[in-house]
Amino acid sequence: MKKYATAILRKVSSFLEIFISVVLTVSIILVAVKLAMSLKNIPNFDMYPNYSDLLENCLSLIIGVEMIRMLYQQTPSTVFEVLLFAIARQIIVEHSNPVATLIGVISIAILFATRKFLFVEFDESERVIFRATSKAKHVNSIIHVHIPCEDNQTLRDVLHKRFEEEQTEIGVGACTYFDNFGLRVAKMHNGDISRVEVIRSIH
């Protein structure tokens, strides 16, 4: 029962994330259109938008766009970008006192240091699923990795050999790692590997 409840909640949460992303996207489009239409008032400096309002709204829209990316990508990189733009907006728009500005600059420096030294290799990655019967050399040329293989070896052959060397039990989710990429069993059929996910670092 717990397993079914967990699966239902996972699907509901995924749907809500998509729904919120769509609502946010529509809202940003409408606000952007309204902002563009208001530009005709720029020659009249007594009316909106003045430069500060324009800058504030543009930065807010950029943060909204980054939040949409964060909802559907869910990687440390997208969280980093949302925080970076939010702090930058605070510094640029609010015109805070020197102490607050200095704290904002230090916060940005800490974010960059965190990204450089604490993000692990596969935090930012590209994931592509191939048929297990795909030739490993063709996968190498398609996504620019270097899967060690002989001429006619398939991804299934490579995984079987690798798992045998590492004494890894074959099953969905089983992984093996190379220098800057990994291979993961994405799907099995009749007890054998049918789909393989290639996880490539994009650092």
Side-chain angles (χ1 to χ4, degrees):
M1 184 67 183
K2 182 179 178 181
K3 185 186 297 185
Y4 292 115
T6 302
I8 292 172
L9 288 174
R10 187 181 294 114
K11 290 182 180 180
V12 170
S13 62
S14 298
F15 172 78
L16 288 175
E17 286 176 354
I18 295 171
F19 177 74
I20 292 170
S21 298
V22 171
V23 170
L24 189 55
T25 301
V26 172
S27 301
I28 289 174
I29 292 172
L30 293 176
V31 173
V33 170
K34 181 179 178 181
L35 183 63
M37 293 177 64
S38 69
L39 292 178
K40 63 184 181 182
N41 295 323
I42 282 183
N44 184 352
F45 292 104
D46 295 330
M47 297 180 65
Y48 172 83
N50 58 52
Y51 180 74
S52 295
D53 291 336
L54 182 62
L55 185 61
E56 180 179 358
N57 287 327
C58 286
L59 286 172
S60 296
L61 289 174
I62 291 172
I63 293 171
V65 172
E66 293 301 327
M67 285 187 66
I68 294 171
R69 289 183 57 205
M70 184 179 70
L71 284 171
Y72 75 79
Q73 286 188 351
Q74 298 180 352
T75 64
S77 178
T78 55
V79 176
F80 169 85
E81 289 171 3
V82 170
L83 292 174
L84 180 63
F85 281 116
I87 295 172
R89 178 186 180 279
Q90 185 73 18
I91 295 172
I92 295 170
V93 174
E94 297 298 327
H95 303 296
S96 304
N97 59 67
V99 174
T101 301
L102 178 62
I103 292 173
V105 172
I106 293 173
S107 300
I108 290 176
I110 292 173
L111 281 176
F112 276 106
T114 301
R115 184 178 190 179
K116 181 174 179 60
F117 296 109
L118 296 183
F119 279 19
V120 299
E121 183 176 12
F122 288 98
D123 274 343
E124 298 181 81
S125 61
E126 176 186 45
R127 298 166 182 261
V128 186
I129 294 179
F130 293 92
R131 292 181 181 274
T133 53
S134 301
K135 294 288 191 294
K137 64 179 182 180
H138 293 159
V139 175
N140 284 339
S141 62
I142 291 171
I143 61 174
H144 308 293
V145 294
H146 184 64
I147 302 171
C149 62
E150 298 175 2
D151 283 345
N152 292 318
Q153 275 192 317
T154 64
L155 291 177
R156 180 187 290 136
D157 297 331
V158 172
L159 277 178
H160 276 297
K161 180 180 178 181
R162 187 79 171 186
F163 287 155
E164 184 177 348
E165 292 172 353
E166 298 176 348
Q167 296 183 341
T168 301
E169 183 179 352
I170 298 176
V172 175
C175 297
T176 184
Y177 297 99
F178 299 87
D179 288 340
N180 64 341
F181 70 96
L183 299 178
R184 173 182 172 274
V185 178
K187 189 177 180 181
M188 297 190 67
H189 181 68
N190 293 333
D192 206 359
I193 303 169
S194 61
R195 295 288 188 278
V196 177
E197 183 178 41
V198 181
I199 308 169
R200 183 175 69 89
S201 170
I202 56 175
H203 276 286

